[in-house]
Amino acid sequence: MSVFTKRLKNLRKQKSLTQQELADLLGVNRVTYTNWENGNREPNFLMLGMIANELESSFDYLMGRADDNNFEKNPTTQEEFENLSEIERRIVTYRQALQYLGYFKDFLDYAGLDEELSDTEIEIEKELIVEVKDKHQLIVKQLEKRLKNLEKNKK
């Protein structure tokens, strides 16, 4: 039994959920979920994120890359978010951004390059990579500007 399957089962039981209940929350049938828990199949990357969220687990803990389950639940409604102080909202926003970047990196690692792609698929992926790169550069510039403003205001 892999670390993933052990933790999946233990976290589900800690939440007092049956396999059927968790499968329903994830939008899959019970047989699919059972295959994951028994190690017969693996969920795709997006589903791993959904599982971690439903079980209030960090992705790293669920996958066996961390020994501590340092999951911090983010506000789930606009009202909960608005009730936070300004600094708490910023912290939540930055943490969510870091979490998504981590998921994106894991997706790139998980996707691998060993699968056969058609010429059309290769061109589509190239376009997507350029788009992500451009958006990343824009975000980095915005963060650098924000950091300079914060340092300037500190003086």
Side-chain angles (χ1 to χ4, degrees):
M1 197 177 237
S2 72
V3 172
F4 168 73
T5 57
K6 287 178 189 173
R7 289 185 176 174
L8 179 62
K9 185 175 185 176
N10 289 339
L11 289 167
R12 175 184 59 79
K13 287 184 173 188
Q14 285 175 12
K15 300 276 292 176
S16 300
L17 294 170
T18 65
Q19 289 181 338
Q20 183 65 60
E21 290 169 332
L22 184 53
D24 291 344
L25 288 170
L26 297 169
V28 299
N29 67 46
R30 187 197 53 77
V31 174
T32 298
Y33 176 82
T34 301
N35 279 325
W36 299 336
E37 198 170 283
N38 291 335
N40 298 328
R41 299 210 184 252
E42 294 178 352
N44 66 34
F45 179 76
L46 294 175
M47 186 56 67
L48 287 171
M50 291 174 62
I51 292 168
N53 190 52
E54 284 298 333
L55 294 175
E56 297 183 349
S57 171
S58 71
F59 186 83
D60 286 339
Y61 177 78
L62 187 60
M63 297 306 295
R65 296 188 315 193
D67 292 329
D68 295 323
N69 189 11
N70 295 326
F71 178 79
E72 292 188 33
K73 189 167 174 71
N74 290 320
T76 55
T77 66
Q78 185 66 27
E79 183 179 347
E80 286 176 358
F81 186 76
E82 289 172 359
N83 286 335
L84 298 175
S85 70
E86 181 62 29
I87 192 65
E88 288 172 323
R89 280 186 241 154
R90 289 181 185 186
I91 291 169
V92 166
T93 302
Y94 279 114
R95 283 188 179 152
Q96 286 175 333
L98 288 170
Q99 185 176 22
Y100 289 125
L101 285 173
Y103 288 159
F104 186 68
K105 184 204 173 295
D106 290 337
F107 169 73
L108 293 175
D109 293 342
Y110 183 79
L113 297 174
D114 51 352
E115 55 189 74
E116 295 278 326
L117 296 176
S118 70
D119 290 343
T120 304
E121 290 171 323
I122 289 171
E123 289 305 312
I124 291 170
E125 189 155 343
K126 282 181 180 178
E127 289 174 17
L128 290 170
I129 289 170
V130 168
E131 185 178 338
V132 168
K133 182 182 170 193
D134 290 345
K135 288 187 189 280
H136 176 265
Q137 289 172 344
L138 177 64
I139 291 168
V140 168
K141 286 179 184 175
Q142 289 173 330
L143 288 172
E144 287 172 346
K145 183 179 177 182
R146 176 77 181 142
L147 187 57
K148 284 180 184 177
N149 286 339
L150 289 171
E151 289 171 349
K152 181 180 165 184
N153 290 339
K154 186 178 175 184
K155 293 178 183 179

